[in-house]
Amino acid sequence: MVAARIAGRGIVEAPGRTAYLALILTLATVAWITLSVLAAPFLPTRQSNPYARVAVAVNSASAGQPLPLRYVKRIESLPGVKAVVYSIVLAVVCRDNAPTASIQAFGGSSQAILDLPLWPEGSLQLDALQKRWLSDPMAVLVGAQTAKDCEWHDGRSISPRNFFTGRPIDIHIAGILPAQEDPIANIISIGHYDSLNRPMGMPEGSGSVREIVVLPNDPHEANMLAARIEEAFAHDDPPIEATTGATLQNALARYGQVQNVLGYVMLATFLCTALVLVSVLAH
């Protein structure tokens, strides 16, 4: 109360100071709003997070050779690993006189699978399909073109034959994925590794994978994590290669720098405004 009376008396005795204070506050507010707008694209959100798709891809050093599933557990135990996703592509005969259908079977962290860039643009329809897929270990989400070629319909339980072994694979069609511009995306169906691996005669916990995707705890250290993974498997057979996108990593480095600079400028603006306000009111 005392401070308020002193400030009020100062404003009455020096009206020019009031205009000066109002001008400072106006400029500070405009500067703050401007910086907030500039910083917005650099602040990750739940809906659009550029960090979510920064990953280390682990493949066999020999092109086309699969990796043993046991590699996954070892990678998960390495420091700096947030989550691991692994997959294999199965070819099935969907019906006579029809093209062979491909099912990419995923295992590992459910949330990490949803963060992969294989999905169409998000929508309420896609969210519902993903929930149905996650809740059913036998579920397969079918690409739009594959559904048309194979005459697969939502809600059906079918047993297409593995193209190479001839064994039937029991699956539930949990939904048809929205059509995409990329024709390759429209022929890939998405299934679960564990359920699709069993008909191949593999004991639980064994088998092979075509690719392992590793999400780092710190996206800025993805290159370091890739080097750590290669070092951990330097003497294993089959050998592996761990790679990241150099362009993406450089962009993320700039992203972090810009975000920090804008944050410091906004903090400095706030402190300067506070000091000016205190100075004007004190005199």
Side-chain angles (χ1 to χ4, degrees):
M1 293 297 293
V2 174
R5 284 198 298 270
I6 294 175
R9 192 183 314 123
I11 291 174
V12 172
E13 294 175 355
R17 190 179 299 162
T18 304
Y20 174 71
L21 177 60
L23 177 62
I24 291 296
L25 292 176
T26 300
L27 291 175
T29 302
V30 171
W32 185 270
I33 293 174
T34 302
L35 287 171
S36 298
V37 172
L38 291 175
F42 298 96
L43 299 177
T45 63
R46 186 175 183 273
Q47 290 76 20
S48 178
N49 186 352
Y51 288 162
R53 295 185 176 182
V54 179
V56 178
V58 180
N59 296 278
S60 172
S62 302
Q65 182 176 358
L67 295 174
L69 182 59
R70 66 176 184 274
Y71 279 18
V72 173
K73 292 295 183 183
R74 289 177 56 191
I75 293 174
E76 288 175 335
S77 66
L78 294 176
V81 174
K82 178 181 179 181
V84 178
V85 174
Y86 49 93
S87 66
I88 193 168
V89 177
L90 302 177
V92 300
V93 180
C94 58
R95 65 183 179 87
D96 294 337
N97 301 321
T100 301
S102 298
I103 302 177
Q104 189 163 7
F106 287 93
S109 165
S110 298
Q111 185 56 53
I113 293 173
L114 297 183
D115 285 338
L116 294 176
L118 61 94
W119 302 95
E121 290 297 323
S123 65
L124 292 178
Q125 178 191 8
L126 179 62
D127 290 345
L129 289 176
Q130 289 174 331
K131 289 178 180 177
R132 289 165 63 182
W133 181 76
L134 289 173
S135 64
D136 182 359
M138 304 292 289
V140 171
L141 294 177
V142 181
Q145 187 61 47
T146 296
K148 180 180 178 181
D149 292 340
C150 296
E151 298 181 356
W152 287 351
H153 303 288
D154 187 6
R156 289 184 58 188
S157 294
I158 57 177
S159 300
R161 290 181 291 108
N162 185 300
F163 179 79
F164 296 102
T165 67
R167 295 185 179 186
I169 301 176
D170 297 330
I171 61 174
H172 303 154
I173 306 299
I176 311 300
L177 290 169
Q180 303 184 60
E181 294 182 3
D182 182 2
I184 300 298
N186 291 325
I187 64 174
I188 291 292
S189 301
I190 301 172
H192 295 277
Y193 181 92
D194 288 341
S195 61
L196 294 178
N197 189 42
R198 279 193 221 105
M200 298 175 65
M202 299 289 186
E204 187 174 355
S206 65
S208 60
V209 297
R210 283 290 175 183
E211 183 178 51
I212 301 172
V213 178
V214 185
L215 301 184
N217 279 323
D218 185 349
H220 297 94
E221 297 183 357
N223 287 326
M224 294 175 57
L225 179 58
R228 186 178 301 132
I229 293 172
E230 288 197 338
E231 182 181 0
F233 289 84
H235 304 291
D236 283 82
D237 187 33
I240 59 100
E241 287 182 344
T243 58
T244 61
T247 301
L248 180 57
Q249 293 306 311
N250 292 336
L252 279 169
R254 293 194 297 271
Y255 175 100
Q257 293 168 1
V258 173
Q259 185 181 11
N260 290 337
V261 169
L262 287 173
Y264 291 142
V265 172
M266 293 176 73
L267 178 61
T269 301
F270 172 77
L271 293 176
C272 289
T273 304
L275 289 174
V276 170
L277 179 60
V278 171
S279 176
V280 171
L281 294 179
H283 296 80

